[in-house]
Amino acid sequence: MLARANRVTRSADFRTTLRRGRRVPTDNTVIHVLDRGGDEPTRFGFIVAKTVGGAVTRNLVRRRLRAGCFEMLGTAGTGMDVVIRALPASAVASWATLQSEIAEAITKGMARA
């Protein structure tokens, strides 16, 4: 579970990350990475729309994405905002696939940010 300090919670922060952040598309997600600078902890936010599936499916996808980001906390650096938009394909993607896509996309986004 991500601590509150590691979550993007305000809609203004989501909007800023989506508009100014680097966009890294994958097969199952679209990941936006914004370097805020500073020594604050890296924060993650999730967008899982109804197109992904019903409530149970959306919550499962959100939990998988959260768990993948929790494992990335040590390597993600500091001062980053990461917003992950789940695509409908993420509902049937395996855990290993989602985890590798998140790790690869965050690494790419940090390199470009």
Side-chain angles (χ1 to χ4, degrees):
M1 182 70 176
L2 289 172
R4 183 148 181 96
N6 296 114
R7 288 183 283 173
V8 177
T9 56
R10 296 180 42 227
S11 62
D13 294 338
F14 271 96
R15 203 171 21 256
T16 302
T17 303
L18 291 174
R19 289 182 181 168
R20 288 199 218 155
R22 295 289 179 173
R23 184 176 181 269
V24 182
T26 65
D27 292 337
N28 301 304
T29 60
V30 177
I31 300 177
H32 299 265
V33 180
L34 176 67
D35 187 6
R36 295 185 331 259
D39 290 334
E40 294 109 14
T42 297
R43 301 184 307 171
F44 296 94
F46 307 97
I47 301 171
V48 185
K50 285 186 178 181
T51 56
V52 173
V56 173
T57 304
R58 290 194 312 269
N59 288 329
L60 174 67
V61 169
R62 191 176 295 115
R63 282 193 305 271
R64 285 182 174 180
L65 293 174
R66 244 187 267 143
C69 291
F70 180 76
E71 292 182 5
M72 288 294 301
L73 278 177
T75 60
T78 59
M80 308 285 282
D81 276 352
V82 180
V83 173
I84 302 174
R85 180 186 303 268
L87 299 176
S90 63
V92 294
S94 69
W95 161 250
T97 303
L98 283 176
Q99 189 176 15
S100 66
E101 281 184 359
I102 291 169
E104 184 178 322
I106 291 174
T107 304
K108 281 182 185 178
M110 287 186 338
R112 287 195 255 163

